[in-house]
Amino acid sequence: MRPSPRGGGVTPVIARTRAELAAARSRVQGTLALVPTMGALHEGHRSLIRAAREHADTVAVSVFVNPLQFGPGEDFERYPRTLDDDLAVCAAEGAGLVFTPSREVMYPAEPQVTIRSGPMGERVEGITRPGHFDGMLTVVMKLFQLVRPDAAIFGEKDAQQLAMIRRMVADLDVPVRVVGAPTVREPDGLALSSRNRYLSEPERRTALSLSRALRAGEDASPAGPAATVQAARAVLDKAAAEDPPLALDYLVLVDPATFTEIDDAHRGPAVLAVAGRVGTTHLIDNLPLRFGSPKES
């Protein structure tokens, strides 16, 4: 189970049960990198699989829509499920193993002991989606235990998720190297997301305000954090008056390690993060920034 470094032409082993996964994992030679996904794979996921090939001999992809990270009224039931297409993507990109468990396989019994995300999980996205990060960290920990990867690859588009996973791995001494991969965007700037397929053409035009706001903030960043947020907010205020409107959940400038908001005196790395709803679709985006010169940081 050692795909070509270039990918393509590989038929991945498909494991649907714990026993099938254990058997497949026992046959892996060398190192293994895991790309956890909820399916509906797009070019962003392809880039994660390609990045994973740079970090291990074999790539495993998990495809599981995790119910624990969806809150009441969220889109769990209608979240796109495209397994046949996902398997084709995995094969094309050179994944050697795909784990596609059912809910019953992943959670044989209702979980009583779960991962708590703590104060960090109650900030920013955690305010909008209470309990989301508890469910996300729980399923990631379960995947780490079941797949036993040497490395795991996550997209930087979900910056708070990536920060939380890194913190969990550090706090609980999990022997997995966590790697972030850059956000992939469509030609018009919209960050790739499985939820983009929900958007109508008018909604998509409004959704572009998220990436426009980030670029406006980046352009203003030499003037400092306060100017950065002000420039981004001006774009989002206009989007709130569009038809259809953007319903802003948050716009924050945070420390990338803790996701606490920074002040205007901050020097060093930061993340400008934004989220909102267009119609019924929840979208997030972010941009890493740095304030001050390298010597100041």
Side-chain angles (χ1 to χ4, degrees):
M1 195 189 301
R2 300 189 68 170
S4 161
R6 291 185 296 275
V10 174
T11 301
V13 174
I14 301 170
R16 294 182 173 85
T17 68
R18 291 170 178 243
E20 290 173 351
L21 175 63
R25 181 65 180 89
S26 70
R27 294 193 296 270
V28 172
Q29 300 178 24
T31 55
L32 179 71
L34 172 65
V35 180
T37 82
M38 293 206 300
L41 304 186
H42 49 63
E43 185 58 35
H45 295 106
R46 287 178 179 268
S47 74
L48 298 180
I49 298 171
R50 291 194 290 268
R53 294 207 317 267
E54 301 298 318
H55 292 274
D57 299 305
T58 299
V59 175
V61 177
S62 63
V63 177
F64 177 66
V65 183
N66 176 35
L68 295 193
Q69 65 193 73
F70 288 80
E74 292 190 356
D75 58 345
F76 174 72
E77 294 299 335
R78 71 176 184 128
Y79 194 88
R81 291 160 170 84
T82 58
L83 183 58
D84 288 344
D85 291 341
D86 295 343
L87 294 175
V89 168
C90 292
E93 296 299 337
L97 170 63
V98 181
F99 181 42
T100 65
S102 65
R103 180 171 183 163
E104 291 71 26
V105 167
M106 205 67 196
Y107 301 109
E110 188 68 23
Q112 299 295 309
V113 178
T114 59
I115 301 291
R116 290 294 304 275
S117 58
M120 191 173 171
E122 297 170 358
R123 300 170 188 146
V124 191
E125 185 77 0
I127 296 173
T128 303
R129 304 178 69 190
H132 166 72
F133 288 116
D134 294 354
M136 180 276 294
L137 291 176
T138 297
V139 78
V140 169
M141 179 63 89
K142 287 174 71 69
L143 287 169
F144 285 174
Q145 297 288 347
L146 290 168
V147 180
R148 294 180 288 112
D150 300 284
I153 317 299
F154 297 89
E156 292 176 353
K157 183 180 82 75
D158 296 293
Q160 190 172 4
Q161 170 180 279
L162 177 58
M164 298 274 333
I165 292 167
R166 283 176 166 153
R167 185 59 184 260
M168 177 183 74
V169 164
D171 286 353
L172 300 182
D173 297 309
V174 183
V176 176
R177 182 162 50 93
V178 176
V179 179
T183 300
V184 178
R185 298 183 180 277
E186 300 196 31
D188 57 11
L190 187 66
L192 283 175
S193 169
S194 298
R195 290 185 169 97
N196 287 354
R197 66 187 67 197
Y198 297 159
L199 298 170
S200 66
E201 282 304 314
E203 289 172 340
R204 184 187 174 86
R205 288 193 292 272
T206 297
L208 288 172
S209 63
L210 298 181
S211 57
R212 287 200 305 269
L214 296 178
R215 290 196 300 271
E218 181 180 33
D219 290 344
S221 63
T228 298
V229 174
Q230 183 178 13
R233 189 170 296 280
V235 174
L236 299 171
D237 286 345
K238 290 181 180 179
E242 292 181 4
D243 184 20
L246 171 72
L248 183 66
D249 287 330
Y250 58 79
L251 170 69
V252 292
L253 194 55
V254 297
D255 181 300
T258 64
F259 266 68
T260 54
E261 292 195 55
I262 64 171
D263 59 28
D264 204 40
H266 178 82
R267 295 294 179 266
V271 170
L272 182 61
V274 63
R277 296 180 185 274
V278 183
T280 60
T281 304
H282 176 69
L283 298 169
I284 65 172
D285 204 348
N286 74 84
L287 193 66
L289 298 172
R290 176 173 287 276
F291 294 95
S293 67
K295 290 183 179 180
E296 290 179 295
S297 306

